Amino acid sequence: KLDTGEGPGGAPVLSIFGGKLTTYRKLGEHAMSELKRFFPAMKPDWTAGEVLPGGDLPAGGIAAWVAEMQRRYAGLPPDLVRGVARRHGSLAPKVLGSAQALSDLGEHFGNGLTAAEIDYLVREEWALTVDDVLWRRTKCGLGMNEAERARVAAYLAGSRAKG
């Protein structure tokens, strides 16, 4: 919704709510078109041809990438590597780093979610809450029980207290 800010000292305010990953580009382009009259030097739409972060996969797509990641990280559980590779695409090595064993990734909270991935989400994707981690960034919460989800919340609370 666009509030044009008409009146003395007013400024345009665009409020955006809702949406989903499959339509974010169109929603973003529509939002920017609403502001175009206030910013006439705005450049034209450009996102249609851009790859999402982590989407620059090698030939063979996600299956080839998962196989490559499992080769690189042979010391890690294959299901965990597959999950990280599918969630983060070509950015998966930023999550897994130099890990050679599960213990290198810190605490394992369940359903393939480790402290290393949570730290990555906080650092690189600005995850702040347990919902950000479990539902908005990973969907790992779907396969976790209440106790596991509570451990994630406690880990995040501890991380914020340190940082």
Side-chain angles (χ1 to χ4, degrees), residues 63-76 78 81-82 99-100:
W65 180 241
V66 167
E68 169 63 17
M69 291 299 295
Q70 289 179 330
R71 184 192 63 73
R72 284 190 206 179
Y73 294 96
L76 299 178
V81 174
R82 180 178 25 266
Q100 297 299 307

Side-chain angles (χ1 to χ4, degrees), residues 106-128:
E107 185 173 354
H108 182 251
F109 296 93
N111 203 25
L113 183 66
T114 63
E117 186 169 6
I118 293 172
D119 294 345
Y120 170 83
L121 294 169
V122 168
R123 182 180 65 250
E124 300 292 331
E125 296 189 12
W126 311 297
L128 297 174

Side-chain angles (χ1 to χ4, degrees), residues 16-20 23-33:
I16 303 170
F17 47 91
K20 55 187 179 175
T23 59
Y24 83 96
R25 289 182 198 228
K26 286 292 181 195
L27 291 171
E29 288 173 357
H30 177 73
M32 296 308 291
S33 72

